[in-house]
Amino acid sequence: MYGQQQLEEQTARYTQLNESFEQYFGVQEGSKLFSAVGRSEIRGNHMDHNHGKVLAGSITLDTIAVAAPTTDSVITFYSEGYDQKYVIDLTDLAPKAGDDYGFDSGYGCRYSGSTENCRGTRICSH
């Protein structure tokens, strides 16, 4: 995705991400790197799932993250550019004053009808 000309820059980017993750959480067994490639919807945002047409284009931006599973039911999330730690307890999905997550944090567990099998994770993204 990045091309040979960006190898050094991207290596530094992933190294910095790993260092940030270890700063927040320490060394975590089972941690993995993730990359979500960029896409821009030029026309038709949210129309594709309503049987409409979408004109999308790929871009050379992506989001990268390091994540490690936990044995509890708590998701802890840090993201570059935000000076806040986000914590979501999957066993307590009621909205709380001051939450600004901008999404339904427990949808998957609530949809299944149980939080019994929901497991947490530790995430750091750039």
Side-chain angles (χ1 to χ4, degrees):
M1 179 173 123
Y2 306 118
Q4 189 64 32
Q5 68 276 11
Q6 291 187 346
L7 183 59
E8 187 175 313
E9 176 185 340
Q10 295 303 325
T11 299
R13 186 172 170 231
Y14 279 85
T15 299
Q16 171 60 42
L17 176 64
N18 272 316
E19 290 172 356
S20 295
F21 182 85
E22 289 183 6
Q23 176 186 340
Y24 292 125
F25 302 114
V27 175
Q28 298 287 307
E29 186 176 329
S31 65
K32 298 197 182 320
L33 287 167
F34 297 89
S35 172
V37 297
R39 161 183 137 136
S40 178
E41 292 179 347
I42 300 162
R43 175 91 169 86
N45 189 19
H46 297 291
M47 292 299 296
D48 50 344
H49 53 82
N50 290 311
H51 308 293
K53 306 278 190 242
V54 175
L55 176 59
S58 64
I59 56 177
T60 59
L61 300 174
D62 67 343
T63 298
I64 60 174
V66 175
T70 64
T71 57
D72 60 18
S73 59
V74 176
I75 298 170
T76 306
F77 188 90
Y78 290 92
S79 184
E80 180 181 42
Y82 296 89
D83 57 358
Q84 180 176 347
K85 172 174 76 171
Y86 292 92
V87 178
I88 302 166
D89 184 343
L90 296 172
T91 63
D92 181 12
L93 302 177
K96 296 178 184 47
D99 282 354
D100 66 346
Y101 301 143
F103 61 91
D104 185 352
S105 60
Y107 177 76
C109 292
R110 205 174 3 224
Y111 182 76
S112 70
S114 170
T115 59
E116 183 178 328
N117 294 318
C118 293
R119 296 291 175 248
T121 190
R122 294 185 174 105
I123 306 167
C124 182
S125 74
H126 284 207

